């Protein structure tokens, strides 16, 4: 797709999406970012994107369908961030995601692609990936005890998405996130759970997916590592094997 591709990001103002909006805007993509309140508008305009105040929790599917019309790509990386307990986690991480899926399906005319930010190890807890070692299994069990609502509702959202055929989608599944400066390298594909990754590097990977229609239908794991991110993404897409364990 051309570099004037219109992009919509459902954003979390201090995390991945603001970094993504900056990267995409700098590359020449017109970007519109949703925010929860007008106080955040300067943060969005400061990275070259256009802010739009609309509530993911309260606006209707049709409200979002109208907003998405004419856009080429929608990025979803919104989340409750652990605020508001399980009820709000369900409201944002699951119901907000499903609302977005429904809205893309409801867009009149060409429908935008979706790039969804999920997380590594979001899966059926009864299905342990074959490449997990004992440390991976122990860490997975520990995390599921600490943030069970998050793991559950992210999984429900991902399950919902992988059944959709009306639009193209890709899922990026980063490991634990840090605010360290990006290094431009990562492990991409079926990796282990112990490595964190910077939000800068996740935004880098997301930006690389903006025109990758050949990543349609793939869930891609990414954690800290030594492979150049572009190279890792290319190899994963060429392999064509999803990392989602439904």
């Amino acid at each position: 797709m051309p570099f004037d591709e219109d992009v919509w990001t459902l954003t979390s103002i201090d995390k991945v999406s603001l970094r993504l909006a900056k990267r995409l805007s700098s590359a020449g993509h017109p970007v519109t970012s949703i925010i929860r309140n007008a106080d955040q508008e300067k943060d969005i305009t400061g990275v070259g994107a256009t802010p739009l105040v609309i509530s993911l929790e309260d606006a209707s599917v049709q409200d979002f369908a109208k907003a998405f019309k004419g856009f080429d790509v929608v990025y979803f990386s919104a989340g409750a961030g652990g605020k508001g307990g399980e009820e709000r986690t369900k409201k944002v991480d699951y119901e907000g995601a499903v609302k977005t899926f429904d809205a893309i399906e409801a867009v009149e005319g060409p429908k935008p692609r979706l790039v969804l930010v999920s997380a590594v190890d979001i899966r059926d807890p009864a299905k342990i990936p074959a490449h997990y070692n004992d440390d991976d299994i122990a860490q997975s069990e520990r995390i599921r005890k600490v943030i069970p609502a998050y793991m559950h509702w992210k999984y429900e959202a991902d399950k919902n998405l992988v059944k959709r055929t009306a639009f193209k989608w890709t899922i990026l599944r980063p490991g634990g996130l840090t605010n360290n400066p990006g290094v431009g390298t990562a492990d991409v594909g079926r990796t282990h759970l112990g490595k964190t990754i910077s939000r800068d590097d996740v935004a880098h990977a997301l930006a690389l997916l903006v025109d990758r229609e050949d990543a349609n239908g793939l869930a891609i794991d990414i954690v800290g590592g030594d492979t150049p991110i572009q190279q890792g993404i290319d190899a994963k897409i060429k392999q064509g094997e999803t990392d989602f364990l439904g």
Side-chain angles (χ1 to χ4, degrees), residues 211-224:
D211 59 358
R212 298 303 298 266
E213 293 194 38
D214 52 351
N216 181 44
L218 294 181
I220 301 172
D221 287 359
I222 185 167
V223 299

Side-chain angles (χ1 to χ4, degrees), residues 4-241:
D4 60 354
E5 188 169 30
D6 289 329
V7 178
W8 177 286
T9 69
L10 284 92
T11 188
S12 177
I13 193 67
D14 60 346
K15 299 185 185 289
V16 172
S17 286
L18 191 64
R19 293 167 167 84
L20 172 62
K22 183 177 181 179
R23 280 183 173 270
L24 293 172
S25 297
S26 297
H29 297 285
V31 177
T32 297
S33 293
I34 185 174
I35 50 177
R36 294 186 176 95
N37 63 73
D39 292 341
Q40 299 169 335
E41 288 184 351
K42 288 184 178 179
D43 296 284
I44 300 300
T45 57
V47 297
T50 300
L52 179 63
V53 180
I54 182 171
S55 173
L56 181 61
E57 297 176 65
D58 301 325
S60 70
V61 168
Q62 285 303 317
D63 289 336
F64 277 96
K66 291 177 182 177
F68 291 160
K69 185 175 175 61
F71 283 82
D72 298 297
V73 182
V74 170
Y75 283 92
F76 185 97
S77 61
K83 298 176 182 177
E86 181 173 0
E87 182 178 352
R88 189 159 185 268
T89 296
K90 179 182 178 182
K91 186 77 172 176
V92 177
D93 292 79
Y94 172 68
E95 294 176 1
V98 171
K99 182 184 293 185
T100 301
F101 311 157
D102 290 342
I104 293 174
E105 289 189 350
V107 170
E108 295 181 4
K111 304 183 192 307
R113 290 173 48 237
L114 173 70
V115 180
L116 176 80
V117 181
S118 183
V120 70
D121 199 44
I122 298 296
R123 60 178 173 83
D124 181 343
K127 297 180 180 179
I128 299 175
H131 67 279
Y132 276 21
N133 57 30
D134 289 344
D135 288 341
D136 294 325
I137 293 170
Q139 182 160 326
S140 177
E141 291 175 350
R142 179 182 62 80
I143 291 172
R144 289 175 188 280
K145 290 177 181 178
V146 174
I147 49 172
Y150 174 85
M151 301 297 287
H152 172 73
W153 291 115
K154 279 291 187 186
Y155 176 53
E156 292 299 320
D158 288 3
K159 281 199 302 182
N160 187 292
L161 178 59
V162 300
K163 296 176 183 177
R164 306 270 178 156
T165 59
F167 58 89
K168 294 179 179 180
W169 53 263
T170 303
I171 304 172
L172 189 72
R173 294 158 38 100
L177 300 174
T178 75
N179 289 320
N180 297 333
V183 295
T185 61
D187 283 347
V188 181
R190 297 191 172 179
T191 64
H192 297 290
L193 303 184
K195 299 178 182 178
T196 57
I197 185 169
S198 74
R199 289 180 169 89
D200 284 345
D201 285 329
V202 174
H204 182 174
L206 289 169
L208 291 172
L209 292 170
V210 70
D211 59 358
R212 298 303 298 266
E213 293 194 38
D214 52 351
N216 181 44
L218 294 181
I220 301 172
D221 287 359
I222 185 167
V223 299
D226 299 322
T227 302
I229 293 174
Q230 174 82 68
Q231 180 180 327
I233 293 287
D234 288 346
K236 184 63 185 177
I237 292 173
K238 183 177 181 180
Q239 180 192 46
E241 186 176 27

